[in-house]
Amino acid sequence: MTSPQSDPAPPPPQGPPHDHTHGHSHSHGPAAPVSKHLRKVIAAVVIPFATAVVVGLIAFWPGGAPDHERTGVGFDRQTQDGKVVQVVKVDCADVNAAQVPPTGDTSTPSGREAVNEQEGECAKATVEVTTGDDKGRRFVEVVQPDAPRQLREGQGVVVAYAPDAPRDLQYSVTDVNRKVPMALLAGIFALAVVLVGRMRGVMALVALAVSFAVLTLFILPAILQGSNPLVVAVIGASAIMLAALYMCHGVTARTSVAVIGTLISLLLIGLLGSLFIGWASLSGNTDDNTGLIHGLYPDIDMSGLLLAGVIIGSLGVLDDVTVTQTSAVWELHQADPQMGWKGLYQAGIRIGRDHIASVVNTLVLAYAGAALPLLLLFSIAQSSVGTVANSELVAEEIVRTLVGSIGLVASVPVTTGLAALVVSADRPGTGAIAATAAAPARTGRGRRRKK
């Protein structure tokens, strides 16, 4: 091969559309469109699916969450904003913050803690309600010295309101107000996405807003209304998938192949999840929050809710895998248009193997991190691995992780095979791809090579 010392503007290609002049023109531009025939084939699959999703949204649209009488337990409480206006130190014994066990036994952790609290110094905080009908009302909150959350003057707090309690006990501090740091962090995140991603970043943020809208306006209220959680999750996840992929990556054949690959993987996750959640007898009711949900809405299928969580939780990583694999196959085809289906598939799978290793590790570590306090409790109890894995709390996370990981692993060959079939079966001379390939290549001086 030779490279001329002086390379004038390249002449228009004389060969077929897949001539070597494609050079580096595809590196940062959009994917070359496929032929009109293949676009029709892809549309014949995607349009009926999208139509079914829209019909499902209309059929199961809940119209808001059902009303219920508040129990005053956990998150099911009336809350207002408040502010700590004064904090003074007092002896715990003076405010009866703790009592030593009647037996005087301090050998137990609770007994020792009670003694320490009686002999320690407590914080007596005056809190003012800043929102609601009782705005301006003040109450006293006593914070024990060993409490994980200490109050300071000027701090914003969340206060719970119990209307049936005696007046002096109607309000209590339930949490710290974190709205300002959370909003600031969200703003930094959005700014970083827009600065780096530019228009793609803006569309990603819009797609994120659409995802939250589907989750809060459709999926959650529909489940509370008594609809089947699995059906609702499949419809909602499909709507999120369509909106996110097409808004972020454009309405192209490449995106449509990623949509189809994601759909097939979601169906596999749903089938495996349904099988193993039922086989392992996972109830989905394992902590105070799920217990409260079941108490308020006993008709909700909690195991179905668990399965819905598996599907929705796997969707975000699935999108990443399918889009990446589809893009890889498209780029491979543009780099060597004469590569057949087998060659494209093998090259794409080699890329996918690296992706599988990192994604599965990411998913497992994400679930392990979320369950770290629980795993720490089992470690303190010196439980065996078998005992830990057999407990329903951990078994749920194991099933969630493994089912999601199987779907992710399966998405690589499925999406790679679909993308390879589409681009290798294309007829470049009949579609827009021919026009794209016929355009002059944007190559640098001395980079154009001749075979």
Side-chain angles (χ1 to χ4, degrees):
M1 291 184 292
T2 60
S3 179
Q5 297 297 321
S6 177
D7 191 7
Q14 303 297 322
H18 54 265
D19 184 76
H20 59 269
T21 54
H22 73 280
H24 300 268
S25 61
H26 63 273
S27 298
H28 303 287
V34 298
S35 64
K36 185 175 181 180
H37 171 71
L38 267 182
R39 290 201 299 271
K40 288 181 178 180
V41 173
I42 295 172
V45 176
V46 175
I47 292 177
F49 167 62
T51 303
V53 171
V54 173
V55 171
L57 287 172
I58 296 172
F60 286 88
W61 193 263
D67 294 329
H68 71 278
E69 186 176 349
R70 289 187 178 272
T71 63
V73 178
F75 289 103
D76 194 38
R77 291 179 288 185
Q78 299 181 43
T79 59
Q80 300 292 344
D81 290 341
K83 182 179 181 180
V84 179
V85 294
Q86 186 182 34
V87 178
V88 295
K89 297 293 185 179
V90 296
D91 289 336
C92 292
D94 294 339
V95 292
N96 296 319
Q99 294 183 355
V100 179
T103 60
D105 182 12
T106 58
S107 62
T108 64
S110 59
R112 290 193 298 270
E113 184 179 349
V115 170
N116 292 336
E117 288 172 353
Q118 273 236 333
E119 296 175 351
E121 197 175 43
C122 293
K124 187 177 180 180
T126 302
V127 182
E128 181 178 318
V129 181
T130 56
T131 59
D133 296 336
D134 288 334
K135 182 178 180 180
R137 179 174 166 180
R138 296 188 175 189
F139 66 94
V140 174
E141 181 87 7
V142 176
V143 183
Q144 298 175 358
D146 293 335
R149 181 178 62 244
Q150 298 293 320
L151 300 179
R152 65 179 186 274
E153 191 170 319
Q155 186 177 32
V157 293
V158 178
V159 298
Y161 175 60
D164 297 332
R167 179 173 175 80
D168 292 342
L169 303 176
Q170 285 182 332
Y171 281 98
S172 62
V173 175
T174 184
D175 208 344
V176 174
N177 193 327
R178 304 179 180 89
K179 294 177 181 177
V180 172
M182 297 293 283
L184 178 60
L185 183 60
I188 295 173
F189 163 73
L191 181 62
V193 170
V194 172
L195 287 178
V196 176
R198 299 187 180 180
M199 194 60 197
R200 285 287 184 90
V202 172
M203 296 308 297
L205 292 177
V206 174
L208 182 62
V210 172
S211 299
F212 273 106
V214 173
L215 185 64
T216 57
L217 299 179
F218 174 72
I219 295 177
L220 299 180
I223 292 174
L224 291 178
Q225 292 281 12
S227 299
N228 186 296
L230 176 58
V231 175
V232 170
V234 169
I235 295 172
S238 299
I240 291 172
M241 173 184 65
L242 289 170
L245 289 180
Y246 283 119
M247 290 178 71
C248 294
H249 304 285
V251 184
T252 64
R254 183 168 68 176
T255 307
S256 298
V257 171
V259 166
I260 297 172
T262 305
L263 173 62
I264 295 173
S265 302
L266 279 180
L267 291 176
L268 176 61
I269 290 173
L271 290 174
L272 287 176
S274 179
L275 172 61
F276 283 95
I277 286 175
W279 193 0
S281 300
L282 299 178
S283 66
N285 188 0
T286 53
D287 56 26
D288 294 339
N289 293 327
T290 54
L292 177 60
I293 293 172
H294 185 64
L296 294 173
Y297 300 96
D299 294 333
I300 291 180
D301 180 7
M302 298 303 293
S303 61
L305 186 62
L306 173 61
L307 179 56
V310 173
I311 293 173
I312 295 172
S314 303
L315 178 61
V317 189
L318 265 180
D319 287 354
D320 174 52
V321 173
T322 55
V323 168
T324 301
Q325 286 304 115
T326 306
S327 298
V329 172
W330 241 260
E331 293 296 330
L332 287 168
H333 176 68
Q334 286 185 264
D336 186 0
Q338 296 189 14
M339 188 182 297
W341 178 86
K342 186 176 180 180
L344 287 170
Y345 179 78
Q346 290 175 341
I349 282 294
R350 285 195 294 272
I351 297 172
R353 290 193 185 108
D354 291 335
H355 208 178
I356 286 173
S358 60
V359 167
V360 169
N361 195 45
T362 300
L363 194 63
V364 171
L365 290 179
Y367 285 131
L372 200 58
L374 176 64
L375 297 177
L376 185 60
L377 285 177
F378 279 108
S379 179
I380 292 172
Q382 297 182 349
S383 301
S384 65
V385 174
T387 302
V388 172
N390 190 63
S391 66
E392 185 168 1
L393 275 171
V394 177
E396 278 190 4
E397 299 302 327
I398 292 175
V399 170
R400 192 196 311 268
T401 301
L402 295 182
V403 167
S405 297
I406 291 171
L408 289 173
V409 170
S411 70
V412 171
V414 168
T415 309
T416 305
L418 284 173
L421 280 174
V422 168
V423 294
S424 62
D426 199 17
R427 299 293 180 267
T430 61
I433 194 170
T436 302
R442 296 189 299 273
T443 56
R445 295 176 61 88
R447 289 188 179 180
R448 184 166 173 253
R449 298 175 180 269
K450 297 180 181 180
K451 294 184 180 179

